[in-house]
PDB file of all heavy atoms in Angstrom:
ATOM      1  N   ALA H 151     -17.391   2.591   3.134  1.00 98.00           N
ATOM      2  CA  ALA H 151     -16.884   2.314   1.840  1.00 98.00           C
ATOM      3  C   ALA H 151     -17.856   2.709   0.650  1.00 98.00           C
ATOM      4  O   ALA H 151     -19.025   2.573   0.819  1.00 98.00           O
ATOM      5  CB  ALA H 151     -16.560   0.888   1.765  1.00 98.00           C
ATOM      6  N   GLY H 152     -17.169   3.059  -0.423  1.00 97.00           N
ATOM      7  CA  GLY H 152     -17.904   3.477  -1.643  1.00 97.00           C
ATOM      8  C   GLY H 152     -18.286   2.156  -2.450  1.00 97.00           C
ATOM      9  O   GLY H 152     -17.724   1.022  -2.041  1.00 97.00           O
ATOM     10  N   ASP H 153     -19.094   2.387  -3.358  1.00 97.00           N
ATOM     11  CA  ASP H 153     -19.469   1.125  -4.199  1.00 97.00           C
ATOM     12  C   ASP H 153     -18.224   0.766  -5.188  1.00 97.00           C
ATOM     13  O   ASP H 153     -17.468   1.642  -5.617  1.00 97.00           O
ATOM     14  CB  ASP H 153     -20.700   1.534  -5.009  1.00 97.00           C
ATOM     15  CG  ASP H 153     -21.908   1.697  -4.178  1.00 97.00           C
ATOM     16  OD1 ASP H 153     -21.928   1.242  -3.020  1.00 97.00           O
ATOM     17  OD2 ASP H 153     -22.848   2.319  -4.686  1.00 97.00           O
ATOM     18  N   GLY H 154     -18.176  -0.383  -5.494  1.00 96.00           N
ATOM     19  CA  GLY H 154     -17.222  -1.030  -6.444  1.00 96.00           C
ATOM     20  C   GLY H 154     -17.794  -1.589  -7.548  1.00 96.00           C
ATOM     21  O   GLY H 154     -18.961  -1.494  -7.776  1.00 96.00           O
ATOM     22  N   LEU H 155     -16.894  -2.397  -8.279  1.00 96.00           N
ATOM     23  CA  LEU H 155     -17.450  -3.147  -9.430  1.00 96.00           C
ATOM     24  C   LEU H 155     -17.851  -4.485  -9.290  1.00 96.00           C
ATOM     25  O   LEU H 155     -18.032  -5.207 -10.148  1.00 96.00           O
ATOM     26  CB  LEU H 155     -16.443  -2.950 -10.526  1.00 96.00           C
ATOM     27  CG  LEU H 155     -16.187  -1.577 -11.156  1.00 96.00           C
ATOM     28  CD1 LEU H 155     -14.912  -1.464 -12.078  1.00 96.00           C
ATOM     29  CD2 LEU H 155     -17.493  -1.017 -11.961  1.00 96.00           C
ATOM     30  N   GLY H 156     -17.833  -4.852  -7.894  1.00 95.00           N
ATOM     31  CA  GLY H 156     -18.184  -6.324  -7.521  1.00 95.00           C
ATOM     32  C   GLY H 156     -17.617  -6.695  -6.135  1.00 95.00           C
ATOM     33  O   GLY H 156     -16.889  -5.877  -5.622  1.00 95.00           O
ATOM     34  N   GLU H 157     -18.015  -7.799  -5.700  1.00 92.00           N
ATOM     35  CA  GLU H 157     -17.570  -8.235  -4.427  1.00 92.00           C
ATOM     36  C   GLU H 157     -16.634  -9.460  -4.627  1.00 92.00           C
ATOM     37  O   GLU H 157     -15.548  -9.440  -3.896  1.00 92.00           O
ATOM     38  CB  GLU H 157     -18.707  -8.605  -3.645  1.00 92.00           C
ATOM     39  CG  GLU H 157     -19.589  -7.496  -3.295  1.00 92.00           C
ATOM     40  CD  GLU H 157     -19.023  -6.509  -2.333  1.00 92.00           C
ATOM     41  OE1 GLU H 157     -18.178  -6.789  -1.611  1.00 92.00           O
ATOM     42  OE2 GLU H 157     -19.441  -5.254  -2.515  1.00 92.00           O
ATOM     43  N   THR H 158     -16.883 -10.305  -5.374  1.00 94.00           N
ATOM     44  CA  THR H 158     -16.001 -11.554  -5.521  1.00 94.00           C
ATOM     45  C   THR H 158     -14.958 -11.321  -6.577  1.00 94.00           C
ATOM     46  O   THR H 158     -15.046 -10.378  -7.481  1.00 94.00           O
ATOM     47  CB  THR H 158     -16.851 -12.778  -5.991  1.00 94.00           C
ATOM     48  OG1 THR H 158     -17.417 -12.493  -7.274  1.00 94.00           O
ATOM     49  CG2 THR H 158     -18.035 -12.963  -5.083  1.00 94.00           C
ATOM     50  N   PHE H 159     -13.865 -12.209  -6.590  1.00 95.00           N
ATOM     51  CA  PHE H 159     -12.903 -12.141  -7.600  1.00 95.00           C
ATOM     52  C   PHE H 159     -13.558 -12.240  -8.997  1.00 95.00           C
ATOM     53  O   PHE H 159     -13.175 -11.477  -9.873  1.00 95.00           O
ATOM     54  CB  PHE H 159     -11.813 -13.111  -7.480  1.00 95.00           C
ATOM     55  CG  PHE H 159     -10.804 -13.277  -8.654  1.00 95.00           C
ATOM     56  CD1 PHE H 159      -9.924 -12.375  -8.785  1.00 95.00           C
ATOM     57  CD2 PHE H 159     -11.020 -14.338  -9.500  1.00 95.00           C
ATOM     58  CE1 PHE H 159      -8.981 -12.492  -9.850  1.00 95.00           C
ATOM     59  CE2 PHE H 159     -10.196 -14.483 -10.596  1.00 95.00           C
ATOM     60  CZ  PHE H 159      -9.274 -13.507 -10.808  1.00 95.00           C
ATOM     61  N   GLU H 160     -14.456 -13.208  -9.273  1.00 95.00           N
ATOM     62  CA  GLU H 160     -15.034 -13.486 -10.521  1.00 95.00           C
ATOM     63  C   GLU H 160     -15.749 -12.203 -11.110  1.00 95.00           C
ATOM     64  O   GLU H 160     -15.647 -11.889 -12.176  1.00 95.00           O
ATOM     65  CB  GLU H 160     -16.035 -14.601 -10.376  1.00 95.00           C
ATOM     66  CG  GLU H 160     -15.295 -15.957 -10.184  1.00 95.00           C
ATOM     67  CD  GLU H 160     -14.880 -16.121  -8.742  1.00 95.00           C
ATOM     68  OE1 GLU H 160     -15.203 -15.474  -7.899  1.00 95.00           O
ATOM     69  OE2 GLU H 160     -13.959 -16.999  -8.527  1.00 95.00           O
ATOM     70  N   GLU H 161     -16.466 -11.514 -10.128  1.00 96.00           N
ATOM     71  CA  GLU H 161     -17.172 -10.291 -10.513  1.00 96.00           C
ATOM     72  C   GLU H 161     -16.230  -9.291 -10.956  1.00 96.00           C
ATOM     73  O   GLU H 161     -16.354  -8.532 -12.066  1.00 96.00           O
ATOM     74  CB  GLU H 161     -18.189  -9.810  -9.456  1.00 96.00           C
ATOM     75  CG  GLU H 161     -19.325 -10.663  -9.206  1.00 96.00           C
ATOM     76  CD  GLU H 161     -20.036 -10.290  -7.843  1.00 96.00           C
ATOM     77  OE1 GLU H 161     -19.456  -9.602  -7.037  1.00 96.00           O
ATOM     78  OE2 GLU H 161     -21.278 -10.752  -7.702  1.00 96.00           O
ATOM     79  N   LEU H 162     -15.213  -9.056 -10.105  1.00 97.00           N
ATOM     80  CA  LEU H 162     -14.151  -7.920 -10.277  1.00 97.00           C
ATOM     81  C   LEU H 162     -13.462  -8.246 -11.625  1.00 97.00           C
ATOM     82  O   LEU H 162     -13.195  -7.340 -12.440  1.00 97.00           O
ATOM     83  CB  LEU H 162     -13.356  -7.785  -9.111  1.00 97.00           C
ATOM     84  CG  LEU H 162     -13.981  -7.251  -7.868  1.00 97.00           C
ATOM     85  CD1 LEU H 162     -12.991  -7.487  -6.665  1.00 97.00           C
ATOM     86  CD2 LEU H 162     -14.388  -5.743  -8.018  1.00 97.00           C
ATOM     87  N   TYR H 163     -13.066  -9.519 -11.850  1.00 97.00           N
ATOM     88  CA  TYR H 163     -12.261  -9.820 -13.011  1.00 97.00           C
ATOM     89  C   TYR H 163     -13.062  -9.572 -14.214  1.00 97.00           C
ATOM     90  O   TYR H 163     -12.410  -9.140 -15.242  1.00 97.00           O
ATOM     91  CB  TYR H 163     -11.839 -11.240 -12.773  1.00 97.00           C
ATOM     92  CG  TYR H 163     -10.987 -11.834 -14.071  1.00 97.00           C
ATOM     93  CD1 TYR H 163      -9.665 -11.368 -14.052  1.00 97.00           C
ATOM     94  CD2 TYR H 163     -11.442 -12.660 -15.005  1.00 97.00           C
ATOM     95  CE1 TYR H 163      -8.815 -11.808 -15.105  1.00 97.00           C
ATOM     96  CE2 TYR H 163     -10.666 -13.053 -16.034  1.00 97.00           C
ATOM     97  CZ  TYR H 163      -9.302 -12.737 -16.021  1.00 97.00           C
ATOM     98  OH  TYR H 163      -8.490 -13.065 -17.217  1.00 97.00           O
ATOM     99  N   ALA H 164     -14.412  -9.763 -14.232  1.00 97.00           N
ATOM    100  CA  ALA H 164     -15.161  -9.557 -15.411  1.00 97.00           C
ATOM    101  C   ALA H 164     -15.295  -8.096 -15.784  1.00 97.00           C
ATOM    102  O   ALA H 164     -15.460  -7.605 -16.995  1.00 97.00           O
ATOM    103  CB  ALA H 164     -16.592 -10.086 -15.234  1.00 97.00           C
ATOM    104  N   HIS H 165     -14.954  -7.250 -14.840  1.00 98.00           N
ATOM    105  CA  HIS H 165     -14.907  -5.803 -15.010  1.00 98.00           C
ATOM    106  C   HIS H 165     -13.580  -5.131 -14.964  1.00 98.00           C
ATOM    107  O   HIS H 165     -13.492  -3.882 -14.805  1.00 98.00           O
ATOM    108  CB  HIS H 165     -15.891  -5.191 -13.933  1.00 98.00           C
ATOM    109  CG  HIS H 165     -17.346  -5.567 -14.091  1.00 98.00           C
ATOM    110  ND1 HIS H 165     -18.150  -4.876 -14.950  1.00 98.00           N
ATOM    111  CD2 HIS H 165     -18.109  -6.325 -13.363  1.00 98.00           C
ATOM    112  CE1 HIS H 165     -19.453  -5.432 -14.977  1.00 98.00           C
ATOM    113  NE2 HIS H 165     -19.355  -6.166 -13.872  1.00 98.00           N
TER     114      HIS H 165
END
Side-chain angles (χ1 to χ4, degrees):
D153 294 340
L155 292 170
E157 295 294 331
T158 67
F159 168 76
E160 291 75 18
E161 291 172 341
L162 293 167
Y163 183 74
H165 292 284

